[in-house]
């Protein structure tokens, strides 16, 4: 059982990296505790993922985009940010860009299923399922990975794509800042009476935020961020009470609203590893950076990082440099940190500002929306960051 690279975790980022590496002369093993059935038909997890233009380009190049049913992809043409109960909004429109949409909204399960499909029949990618990585050791000559089945596999390098509370990052002793917001995200799908006009809303109410993201047809994805001690109350609400609550908090903009199916809840942590590499070891996806979902960057960042990593490895191979060497992994680390750090800290500052009950914070956020609307360079900068058009 010798491979060139072992990827721990077949989430959307681990799978996309496996596909990106598969065009190189490398043997790859990707390990995950999930079953093959779940990987090919993932269960609905309530996440509707906003995909930027850059991610669409990468997913297209990897062959995933064309495997996602076009009818399930919703366009986000406009976005509005609201503060408290004020009707004033910071408004972004695709018309201010050279694109027909600001971004795309896609069910996470479809992104995962497409990514799995791209690697399913590749000769140089072996997917080991229903088993976890228990532990591993790394020395000058390679890596040895022990699975919980007792099986042992070897590789020149390990990539950790095992999510934001990455056990392998911890095992490698890579420090990571973990920010616990003390909040929980609740997501669900709702049907509504009036059309959403492909507009996404982010409403910063006091003590909670409400995002309404346009899905295909008269459906939206509702994302509530609330203090964890109040989340159980919302999860337990009857559908009737929940419908009324969301409808009134959203000022009846979409008319009658009805929840469809299950509500899902996620504890809200953000994390950023101090560095993304070590001896023959590298972090990608949420294992490297776990973002607060408000700026919808988690998967987009992970995808971009793994795509960049694959390209750096490709260049190393062309130059006959071992891809697992310190200099190669250092290059990935430096490039990716330059992208992740401003987004990570910028997002956290924004979250703190819009969650604060302090009078000064309320004043600053009112001014910030007006400044954003009226000062074009700032607006363009925010739009470029959110949509990754350029
Ligand atoms: C409510 C919500 C909304 C979001 N919205 C957006 C959005 O709009 N846009 C966006 O870009 N991002 C969004 N995200 C973030 C996005 O979902 C994540 O960034 C993305 O799933 C990270 O993918 P990943 O592959 O790195 O990790 P994960 O999806 O966490 O996958 C990790 C994998 O590792 C496996 N694993 C763990 N430990 C082991 C082990 N020891 N051995 C083997 N396998 C292991 C797990 O089984 C899992 O399959 C959102 C997140 C949430 C919670």
């Amino acid at each position: 059982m010798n491979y060139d690279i072992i990827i721990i975790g077949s989430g959307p980022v681990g799978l996309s990296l496996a596909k990106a590496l598969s065009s190189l002369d490398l043997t790859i093993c990707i390990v995950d505790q999930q079953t093959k059935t779940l990987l090919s038909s993932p269960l609905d997890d309530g996440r509707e993922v906003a995909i930027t233009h850059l991610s669409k380009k990468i997913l297209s190049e990897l062959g995933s985009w064309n495997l996602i049913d076009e009818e399930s992809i919703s366009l986000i043409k406009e976005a509005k940010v609201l503060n408290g109960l004020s009707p004033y909004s910071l408004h972004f429109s695709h018309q201010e860009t050279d694109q027909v949409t600001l971004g795309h909204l896609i069910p996470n399960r479809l992104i995962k299923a497409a990514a799995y499909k791209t690697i399913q029949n590749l000769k140089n990618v072996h997917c080991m399922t229903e088993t976890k990585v228990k532990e591993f050791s790394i020395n000058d000559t390679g890596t040895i990975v022990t699975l919980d089945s007792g099986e042992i596999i070897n590789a020149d390098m390990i990539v950790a794509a095992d999510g934001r509370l990455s056990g392998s990052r911890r095992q490698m002793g890579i420090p990571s800042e973990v920010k616990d917001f003390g909040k929980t995200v609740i997501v669900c799908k709702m049907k509504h009476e009036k059309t959403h006009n492909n507009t996404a809303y982010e409403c910063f109410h006091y003590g909670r935020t409400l995002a309404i993201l346009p899905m295909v047809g008269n459906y939206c994805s509702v994302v509530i961020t609330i203090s964890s001690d109040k989340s159980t109350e919302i999860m337990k609400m009857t559908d009737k009470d929940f419908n009324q609550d969301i409808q009134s908090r959203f000022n009846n903009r979409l008319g009658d609203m009805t929840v469809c199916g299950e509500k899902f809840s996620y504890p809200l942590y953000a994390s950023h590893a101090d560095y993304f590499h070590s001896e023959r070891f590298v972090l990608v996806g949420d294992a490297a950076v776990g973002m607060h979902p408000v700026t919808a960057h988690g998967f987009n960042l992970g995808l971009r990082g793994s795509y960049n990593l694959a390209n750096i490895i490709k260049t190393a191979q062309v130059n006959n440099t071992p891809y697992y060497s310190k200099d190669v992994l250092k290059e990935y680390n430096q490039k990716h940190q330059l992208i992740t750090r401003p987004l990570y800290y910028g997002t956290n500052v924004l979250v703190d500002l819009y969650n604060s009950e302090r009078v000064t914070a309320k004043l600053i956020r009112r001014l910030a929306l007006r400044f954003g609307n009226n000062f074009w360079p700032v607006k363009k900068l925010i739009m470029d960051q959110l949509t990754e058009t350029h």
Side-chain angles (χ1 to χ4, degrees), residues 9 11-13 32-34 47 49-50 133 161-162 285-286 296-300:
V13 174
D32 201 293
Q33 57 222 8
Q34 298 178 67
R47 295 187 208 185
V49 179
V133 168
D162 51 351
D286 275 16
H297 264 301
F299 174 64
N300 290 303

Side-chain angles (χ1 to χ4, degrees), residues 7-15 31-34 39 45-52 55 105 108 112 131-134 147 161-164 166-168 185-187 213 223 266-268 284-293 295-302:
I7 301 174
I8 308 175
S10 53
V13 174
L15 289 168
V31 185
D32 201 293
Q33 57 222 8
Q34 298 178 67
L39 285 171
D45 58 7
R47 295 187 208 185
E48 298 293 321
V49 179
I51 295 289
T52 64
S55 293
L105 195 72
N108 195 31
K112 283 160 60 170
T131 185
K132 275 173 91 164
V133 168
K134 193 173 154 204
L147 305 178
D162 51 351
R164 70 183 62 191
S166 167
S168 24
V185 185
I186 297 173
V187 278
L213 310 174
V223 186
Y266 297 92
L268 199 48
V284 294
D286 275 16
V289 184
M291 295 284 294
H292 187 294
T295 46
H297 264 301
F299 174 64
N300 290 303
L301 262 186

Side-chain angles (χ1 to χ4, degrees), residues 138-300:
I138 297 178
N139 58 36
D140 289 350
T141 54
T143 73
I144 304 165
V145 173
T146 309
L147 305 178
D148 63 358
S149 57
E151 209 170 334
I152 288 177
I153 50 178
N154 303 282
D156 284 332
M157 183 170 89
I158 295 172
V159 179
D162 51 351
R164 70 183 62 191
L165 295 176
S166 167
S168 24
R169 181 183 70 211
R170 166 160 278 274
Q171 201 194 310
M172 279 308 287
I174 297 181
S176 182
E177 173 187 311
V178 178
K179 186 169 166 73
D180 184 348
F181 292 92
K183 297 200 183 275
T184 295
V185 185
I186 297 173
V187 278
C188 68
K189 179 176 174 179
M190 291 188 89
K191 190 173 168 47
H192 43 82
E193 200 185 359
K194 298 183 193 165
T195 173
H196 49 48
N197 290 318
N198 293 83
T199 305
Y201 291 85
E202 184 69 65
C203 313
F204 290 99
H205 294 149
Y206 300 120
R208 60 153 81 194
T209 64
L210 173 68
I212 303 281
L213 310 174
M215 295 175 70
V216 174
N218 274 13
Y219 289 93
C220 65
S221 170
V222 169
V223 186
I224 304 161
T225 311
I226 184 97
S227 170
S228 294
D229 59 335
K230 299 200 178 88
S231 63
T232 322
E233 205 180 295
I234 297 180
M235 290 298 284
K236 282 187 178 161
M237 265 184 177
T238 62
D239 284 356
K240 193 172 161 230
D241 289 348
F242 183 80
N243 295 342
Q244 273 171 2
D245 185 54
I246 299 298
Q247 203 177 307
S248 72
R249 282 180 196 277
F250 197 49
N251 276 345
N252 279 307
R253 284 185 187 88
L254 296 174
D256 284 347
M257 297 180 79
T258 319
V259 65
C260 313
E262 230 180 303
K263 296 188 209 85
F264 300 83
S265 74
Y266 297 92
L268 199 48
Y269 297 105
S271 61
H272 198 295
D274 286 8
Y275 41 92
F276 299 154
H277 74 109
S278 185
E279 189 75 30
R280 291 175 183 264
F281 180 88
V282 59
L283 296 169
V284 294
D286 275 16
V289 184
M291 295 284 294
H292 187 294
V294 71
T295 46
H297 264 301
F299 174 64
N300 290 303

